[in-house]
């Protein structure tokens, strides 16, 4: 166990260094959602409560995590085309150690996104600052694991040329099926049910409710959390299986 943890930490450090060496991807992953947060608030917050900062900031936090699918997928797919992973494949490292190392290396970016977007949101609406903000940041780490897991899975399956297209499914899913850009009250019941069984709306709802307050502990917290965790576990198990298969092929 100790040797396994040591290998994970070594791989994590290496992955963090690789991430730092690509500042343009970091700027895009952080800068675009931040620009959208400020722009949409300034334009629309007087028109509908959907764009009030107490709704928008947590929504943008989770929306930005969808870009981690592309970010993580690119990191892995590019590594697959180098001799680095080929050398590691013949080492004693296990597939789950690779997976956890990639996930851990992206988590600092997740935390940075959450703190920054909530901080900017709090400048426009000070009601965001409070005890709920701490729980919102902690839960945003949990929700990010689903998107990171999907990125690892896609990066294990696809090359760097196709990762953008496949990752866009998750980004569009989070944008359209989370309900962050529009009120869901006018949708038919079938569509609302469909959205509620997917991780996108549940991730957004989970983080938003930490800022807005929890009225029903089961519906507003426990159920969304269980759904997000279920999808996250499936994503990581699938990623480990695919990664192990790719290692055996190598």
């Amino acid at each position: 166990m100790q040797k396994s943890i040591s290998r994970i930490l070594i791989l994590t450090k290496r992955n963090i260094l690789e991430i730092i060496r690509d500042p343009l991807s970091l700027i895009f992953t952080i800068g675009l959602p931040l620009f959208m947060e400020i722009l949409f608030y300034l334009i629309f917050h007087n028109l509908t409560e959907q764009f009030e900062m107490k709704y928008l900031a947590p929504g943008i936090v989770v929306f930005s995590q969808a870009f981690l699918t592309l970010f993580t997928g690119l990191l892995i797919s590019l590594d697959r085309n180098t001799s680095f992973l080929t050398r590691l494949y013949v080492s004693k490292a296990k597939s789950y150690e690779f997976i956890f190392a990639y996930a851990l290396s992206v988590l600092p970016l997740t935390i940075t996104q959450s703190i920054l977007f909530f901080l900017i949101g709090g400048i426009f609406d000070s009601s965001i600052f409070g005890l709920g903000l701490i729980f919102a940041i902690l839960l945003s780490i949990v929700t990010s694991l689903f998107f990171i897991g999907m990125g690892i899975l896609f990066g294990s399956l696809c090359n760097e040329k196709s990762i953008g297209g496949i990752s866009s499914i998750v980004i569009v899913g989070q944008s359209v099926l989370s309900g962050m850009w529009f009120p869901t009250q006018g949708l038919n019941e079938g569509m609302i049910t469909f959205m509620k069984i997917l991780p996108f709306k549940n991730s957004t709802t989970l983080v938003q409710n930490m800022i807005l307050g929890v009225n029903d502990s089961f519906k507003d917290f426990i159920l969304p959390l269980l759904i997000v965790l279920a999808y996250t576990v499936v994503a990581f198990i699938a990623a480990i299986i695919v990664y192990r298969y790719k290692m055996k092929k190598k």
Side-chain angles (χ1 to χ4, degrees), residues 64-113:
S64 68
Q65 294 173 355
F67 289 93
L68 295 179
T69 300
L70 173 60
F71 185 89
T72 310
L74 277 173
L75 178 64
I76 295 178
S77 61
L78 289 171
D79 277 349
R80 286 175 52 213
N81 287 334
T82 67
S83 58
F84 170 75
L85 283 186
T86 302
R87 293 195 302 270
L88 288 181
Y89 282 154
V90 298
S91 70
K92 294 182 179 180
K94 307 297 183 181
S95 57
Y96 70 87
E97 295 172 355
F98 287 99
I99 299 303
F100 291 157
Y102 279 114
L104 287 174
S105 64
V106 180
L107 283 182
L109 177 55
T110 294
I111 298 170
T112 301
Q113 285 178 324

